[in-house]
Amino acid sequence: MNNKHKILLVSILGSIFSCNNTMKQESDSFTLNGKLPTNVNEKVYLLEYKNREYTVVDSVEAKNQTFTFKGKLQEPLVHAIRLGNSGKRANFFLENADISITLNDNWQISEAFGSEDTELFKKYDDLNATKRINLDSLLQKDNSSPVIAYFLARNAYLYDYESLILLRKKINQNLSRNTYIEELDGAIAQLEKIQPGQVAPEIVMEDLEGNTICLSDLRGKVILIDFWASWCPDCRKENPELVKLYNQYKDKNFTILGVSFDRKKDHWKTAIATDGLTWTHGFVEGAWKAEPIKTYAIRWLPTAMLIDENGIIVARNIDHKKLIPNLENLLK
């Protein structure tokens, strides 16, 4: 090989390696371009989802049905786009890359692309919306994506303690410091403390008259604790069934304790009156940051927990109807 050919080969190889290195470099910032279904006169808000709460991180004025956000992320996380101060949220996955999303008339994201995880989130979110997501199957294919970490944490309420432990073990160790996995690990650690057979932790609340009441005040009765909130659609749908259950068993040493995580007391009181909920009720300050949320590892509303007359946990489920066989056994 003559020198001319050697120089040419080195030049080609150098270009290839340079190209590969460029491709492997990760961006240290993001650009989010969005397209709206119609012209709007309100601000578009960008919210971060972390620690089970949405936090506004930026806002812009939309122009010609489009908007753009720019910034830097410490870690890739689920975000949401919201129109105005109280509009509907549309979730997507954001990381330091050039991301594009399109929203439809229902304020849902119809298209999302720009990174592998952004596109993966869209796919899984569509499955999740129709309750067709199978986390066990997905974890067998990919256990290292921060996207799967989010959906496992998001859907933890669907699994009992043992099943959740098995799913968690399938997550790649590289995700152990992921925000959603750390959140999940905290919930699992707390769930271990409130399994059937253990004493139900105390709950201190404010009743409808403003007095302090406690879970232990009802000791001696079989109690169904109903963790709920007036703004929760599923909670309100279940209330008529709870009324029937209460009326059927209230004279058999049974009662219900409603523990509300409402943000506004007047909304809580109005819902109780509107739905005809005549059992004991308690209001807990802090909403999703309230102490019972942590103590009882609540990840979904409504959640029901059955306690025997000695204050011992019998069973727990997001569907109170599945606890009725346990209740009937206790009341025999």
Side-chain angles (χ1 to χ4, degrees):
M1 181 182 297
N2 59 38
N3 289 336
K4 183 178 180 180
H5 288 161
K6 287 182 180 179
I7 293 172
L8 179 60
L9 179 59
V10 170
S11 177
I12 293 172
L13 289 174
S15 297
I16 291 173
F17 287 125
S18 174
C19 181
N20 285 339
N21 288 335
T22 300
M23 292 173 64
K24 290 179 181 179
Q25 287 179 354
E26 294 184 359
S27 175
D28 63 353
S29 63
F30 70 84
T31 298
L32 172 65
N33 292 306
K35 185 176 181 181
L36 301 173
T38 58
N39 280 317
V40 295
N41 295 319
E42 295 182 79
K43 279 188 174 181
V44 177
Y45 287 81
L46 177 65
L47 299 90
E48 174 188 82
Y49 182 74
K50 187 176 182 179
N51 298 324
R52 306 194 64 209
E53 285 193 329
Y54 288 95
T55 304
V56 174
V57 294
D58 202 355
S59 64
V60 296
E61 296 285 350
K63 295 181 180 180
N64 299 321
Q65 295 182 232
T66 64
F67 61 86
T68 298
F69 288 100
K70 294 185 178 183
K72 294 183 179 182
L73 298 178
Q74 295 298 315
E75 65 173 323
L77 291 172
V78 172
H79 283 66
I81 290 295
R82 188 182 71 198
L83 183 62
N85 288 320
S86 58
K88 185 178 178 181
R89 294 185 296 259
N91 288 348
F92 67 99
F93 195 81
L94 183 62
E95 57 186 321
N96 288 325
D98 291 336
I99 308 296
S100 296
I101 60 174
T102 301
L103 292 101
N104 61 25
D105 291 328
N106 295 320
W107 203 255
Q108 297 170 331
I109 295 187
S110 57
E111 291 182 323
F113 54 91
S115 80
E116 182 178 344
D117 283 333
T118 295
E119 294 168 15
L120 191 64
F121 180 89
K122 175 67 172 67
K123 176 182 177 181
Y124 290 172
D125 200 38
D126 289 345
L127 290 173
N128 195 56
T130 54
K131 302 185 184 302
R132 292 182 295 122
I133 192 168
N134 186 326
L135 289 173
D136 189 35
S137 175
L138 293 178
L139 281 168
Q140 292 179 24
K141 300 175 183 177
D142 178 13
N143 68 348
S144 60
S145 167
V147 171
I148 199 69
Y150 163 80
F151 282 102
L152 180 55
R154 169 70 174 75
N155 291 334
Y157 71 92
L158 293 172
Y159 300 92
D160 59 31
Y161 175 69
E162 289 77 14
S163 299
L164 197 56
I165 288 289
L166 292 175
L167 287 171
R168 172 62 183 90
K169 287 180 178 179
K170 295 180 180 182
I171 290 288
N172 192 296
Q173 287 298 313
N174 293 335
L175 288 175
S176 59
R177 299 296 298 275
N178 174 275
T179 288
Y180 302 125
I181 294 302
E182 287 183 339
E183 176 189 319
L184 177 64
D185 286 345
I188 289 174
Q190 194 57 40
L191 277 172
E192 185 179 7
K193 301 176 184 178
I194 53 170
Q195 290 302 295
Q198 298 177 333
V199 177
E202 184 66 286
I203 306 176
V204 180
M205 303 152 284
E206 180 181 320
D207 70 9
L208 290 166
E209 287 73 42
N211 302 313
T212 298
I213 60 170
C214 301
L215 169 61
S216 57
D217 295 340
L218 300 175
R219 185 70 57 85
K221 289 190 173 185
V222 174
I223 307 165
L224 180 74
I225 306 177
D226 176 37
F227 296 103
W228 75 297
S230 67
W231 47 259
C232 163
D234 290 343
C235 301
R236 303 299 293 273
K237 289 177 184 177
E238 278 212 353
N239 280 343
E241 295 298 323
L242 285 174
V243 170
K244 291 178 183 179
L245 184 72
Y246 178 70
N247 290 333
Q248 182 177 356
Y249 294 108
K250 66 180 180 179
D251 297 326
K252 299 182 179 180
N253 201 39
F254 167 76
T255 192
I256 296 176
L257 172 63
V259 179
S260 168
F261 299 112
D262 273 282
R263 295 178 176 85
K264 297 182 179 180
K265 292 181 183 178
D266 56 337
H267 292 178
W268 165 60
K269 292 180 179 180
T270 298
I272 291 172
T274 300
D275 294 357
L277 314 180
T278 58
W279 47 83
T280 302
H281 289 276
F283 181 90
V284 183
E285 295 282 357
W288 280 109
K289 292 184 178 180
E291 192 59 34
I293 287 282
K294 302 173 186 176
T295 304
Y296 281 84
I298 303 298
R299 303 190 63 79
W300 186 261
L301 295 181
T303 290
M305 183 169 282
L306 190 63
I307 312 295
D308 72 10
E309 62 271 19
N310 297 311
I312 304 299
I313 297 170
V314 176
R316 163 190 177 125
N317 205 289
I318 60 171
D319 182 356
H320 81 274
K321 293 186 289 295
K322 293 183 179 180
L323 302 182
I324 292 178
N326 302 90
L327 173 62
E328 291 174 340
N329 285 334
L330 288 173
L331 298 179
K332 283 181 179 179

